[in-house]
Amino acid sequence: MTDLTPLSSLSSALADLVARAAPSVVSVHSHRSRATGFVWKSGLIVTADEALAEEGEVEIGLADGSRMAATIAGRDHTTDIALLRADTGIAPIKLTTTVPALGALSVVVATNRDTPSAALGMVSLSGKSWRSLRGGDIDARIELDVLLRPSQEGGLALDAAGEAFGMAVLGPRRVLVIPAATIERVAAQLETRGRVARGYLGLGLQPVRLDDGVGAMVMNVDKAGPSAAAGIRQGDVIVAVNDQKLSGVRALSRTLGPASVGTVVGVAARRGGEPIDFKVTIGERPEA
């Protein structure tokens, strides 16, 4: 007869770590949409922004079957993080910024039909930081080989030690994890500001090929923006920023993160073929 003791031990260990994390997990209801969230700080719940309706009331479902109203404290489409306020009285979960190794086991603790649920999988990709399609900076690339229902999106991703290393979300073809480092950084800004600040030049740019490299032609200028104040005009071609040759419009956009707001950059351009320089104080991108 096969000895099942190791499997029994593994089963008990998994059940134990799920039981420890489940009390901090809640269901999230918004305009016919169901998702999962977890208590990040007392009275503050993190959930997946993509799973949250754009309008309408939001409710939190608790383990005892009760519901309570919640308000949206802030949301960031680029990192898929939303922050809700609700006085649940539930103890927050502690996140770890340690990124799990490739091939490590992971358990997603979430909710399904308002009841706690769990899904076991494996870390199928563990890599460096990346930029989302919406322009958000994600601190680590983590993918899970696990099957999740839409209502489980926003659940906690736990490692084999029961440490919560991020939030599971549904990507186009795979389950992604928004790592704890990203959650801590973004949620802190949402708590205090309701949004994530991002740099703003106030320019519409079009890439152009030059004899000596790549440039960005100014197609339009926000008259109230920082570039207009510095003297940049429509038709100017930007060729360098802070003495670094431009490698493309996307590369320039990537430099406009939260830390860029308020900094002064040197912009080298060409106007009518002649060189011209500007000093631009990067502003904060206005809300859409």
Side-chain angles (χ1 to χ4, degrees):
M1 182 178 291
T2 304
D3 184 5
L4 297 180
T5 301
L7 289 178
S8 297
S9 298
L10 174 61
S11 178
S12 296
L14 291 173
D16 181 62
L17 66 86
V18 169
R20 294 200 306 268
S24 297
V25 174
V26 299
S27 59
V28 179
H29 302 259
S30 62
H31 193 60
R32 301 179 184 175
S33 175
R34 290 182 179 180
T36 297
F38 61 90
V39 180
W40 172 62
K41 285 184 178 180
S42 179
L44 294 172
I45 296 162
V46 168
T47 189
D49 174 75
E50 192 171 80
L52 195 64
E54 290 294 333
E55 58 184 14
E57 297 179 350
V58 180
E59 286 188 329
I60 301 301
L62 306 182
D64 61 5
S66 63
R67 289 193 187 185
M68 64 171 55
T71 58
I72 299 175
R75 56 195 308 175
D76 179 41
H77 299 310
T78 71
T79 57
D80 204 6
I81 296 172
L83 190 66
L84 309 176
R85 293 187 187 276
D87 189 13
T88 63
I90 297 174
I93 193 77
K94 183 179 180 181
L95 300 177
T96 177
T97 55
T98 301
V99 177
L102 179 67
L105 289 179
S106 174
V107 178
V108 177
V109 180
T111 60
N112 184 38
R113 297 184 182 276
D114 292 336
T115 60
S117 68
L120 176 63
M122 178 184 291
V123 177
S124 57
L125 193 153
S126 181
K128 297 180 180 179
S129 60
W130 59 290
R131 194 173 183 84
S132 75
L133 293 176
R134 293 181 174 179
D137 294 318
I138 313 296
D139 291 76
R141 180 90 186 194
I142 307 171
E143 296 180 8
L144 300 182
D145 183 12
V146 64
L147 180 62
L148 289 186
R149 296 180 175 89
S151 62
Q152 294 173 301
E153 185 169 22
L156 282 170
L158 308 180
D159 61 21
E163 299 288 334
F165 61 87
M167 175 177 65
V169 299
L170 297 176
R173 293 176 297 277
R174 59 189 64 85
V175 174
L176 304 174
V177 174
I178 306 302
T182 306
I183 293 171
E184 297 285 9
R185 170 169 51 82
V186 173
Q189 295 184 63
L190 296 179
E191 179 186 7
T192 57
R193 299 169 52 91
R195 60 193 294 264
V196 175
R198 285 188 169 80
Y200 181 65
L201 290 173
L203 296 175
L205 301 173
Q206 176 71 37
V208 293
R209 179 67 62 179
L210 305 173
D211 292 339
D212 56 350
V214 176
M217 177 174 285
V218 177
M219 306 303 292
N220 54 72
V221 183
D222 178 357
K223 294 180 180 180
S227 293
I232 296 178
R233 301 177 188 170
Q234 183 178 2
D236 290 345
V237 178
I238 297 173
V239 296
V241 176
N242 285 341
D243 297 324
Q244 296 291 320
K245 281 190 174 182
L246 204 67
S247 59
V249 172
R250 289 186 178 180
L252 176 58
S253 297
R254 283 195 291 269
T255 66
L256 301 176
S260 70
V261 178
T263 62
V264 179
V265 295
V267 176
R270 294 174 187 171
R271 177 176 292 171
E274 297 297 321
I276 185 169
D277 296 313
F278 305 94
K279 292 291 185 182
V280 181
T281 301
I282 297 176
E284 182 176 338
R285 180 177 295 279
E287 293 189 62

